[in-house]
């Protein structure tokens, strides 16, 4: 993650209305950028990548937040108001153009798949339903790369 992306994520954070919405927007945007970065043919040094993300998260949100907590947040129902927000989607597209909006359902599905592998539970609920609806609306959405190292 470079400083330009960090600066754009901080700008997006400032567009949230109120502290809670701003933090939620930041979490989702950061998580999407992280997950999109996994779509590469290159081998990923997860320790280095996670350390860089965790440092940025700590400096932005403070103690108790990490990339793991961001991804966990993104696998639950609490993410729904963010992904269904037109204001968030417009701001995200403006500040994070390197992550195409049509890839968001795929990235969230990838995250749910990892959560399923960790917990052993099938993902079900509003987020899984939202992903399925989006997949039928845009069947061409999805990642072009592969995830290395998982």
């Amino acid at each position: 993650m470079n400083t330009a992306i960090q600066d754009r994520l901080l700008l997006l954070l400032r567009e949230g209305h109120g502290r809670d919405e701003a933090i939620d927007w930041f979490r989702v945007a950061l998580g999407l950028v992280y997950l999109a970065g996994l779509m590469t043919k290159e081998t990923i040094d997860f320790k280095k990548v996670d350390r860089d993300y965790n440092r940025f998260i700590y400096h932005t949100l403070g103690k108790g937040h990490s990339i793991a907590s961001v991804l966990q947040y993104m696998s639950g129902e609490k993410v729904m108001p963010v992904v269904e927000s037109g204001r968030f989607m417009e701001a995200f597209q403006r500040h994070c153009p390197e992550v195409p909006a049509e890839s968001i359902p795929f990235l969230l599905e990838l995250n749910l798949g990892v959560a399923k592998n960790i917990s052993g539970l099938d993902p079900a609920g509003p987020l899984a339903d939202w992903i399925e609806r989006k997949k039928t609306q845009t069947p061409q959405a999805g990642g072009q790369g592969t995830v290395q190292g998982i």
Side-chain angles (χ1 to χ4, degrees):
M1 171 189 308
N2 62 42
T3 56
I5 291 172
Q6 290 177 357
D7 291 344
R8 292 194 316 261
L9 287 168
L10 292 173
L11 288 171
L12 186 140
L13 170 109
R14 291 181 186 105
E15 288 194 35
H17 293 170
R19 181 181 186 277
D20 290 341
E21 182 179 80
I23 290 172
D24 290 349
W25 283 23
F26 176 77
R27 286 176 176 167
V28 174
L30 180 87
L32 291 171
V33 168
Y34 176 88
L35 291 167
L38 301 180
M39 298 294 100
T40 180
K41 293 180 189 229
E42 304 296 318
T43 300
I44 298 169
D45 180 350
F46 281 99
K47 286 184 181 184
K48 180 186 180 324
V49 171
D50 288 358
R51 184 176 51 245
D52 292 344
Y53 273 84
N54 285 334
R55 184 177 299 120
F56 177 57
I57 293 165
Y58 177 81
H59 288 287
T60 304
L61 299 179
K63 187 176 177 179
H65 300 276
S66 67
I67 191 60
S69 67
V70 165
L71 296 175
Q72 182 178 8
Y73 169 83
M74 290 178 56
S75 67
E77 188 174 342
K78 292 180 181 179
V79 76
M80 295 307 301
V82 179
V83 297
E84 291 181 331
S85 167
R87 287 180 26 255
F88 170 78
M89 295 306 270
E90 188 276 324
F92 183 74
Q93 290 173 29
R94 210 170 359 97
H95 293 295
C96 303
E98 66 278 358
V99 181
E102 59 273 4
S103 72
I104 292 172
F106 170 78
L107 295 172
L108 291 172
E109 184 175 43
L110 172 68
N111 190 48
L112 280 180
V114 172
K116 175 186 175 187
N117 288 341
I118 292 169
S119 71
L121 301 173
D122 279 328
L127 180 57
D129 296 343
W130 181 87
I131 291 168
E132 284 305 313
R133 281 193 312 274
K134 292 297 181 180
K135 283 171 51 176
T136 59
Q137 292 171 4
T138 56
Q140 74 280 4
Q144 298 299 316
T146 59
V147 179
Q148 299 291 320
I150 294 182

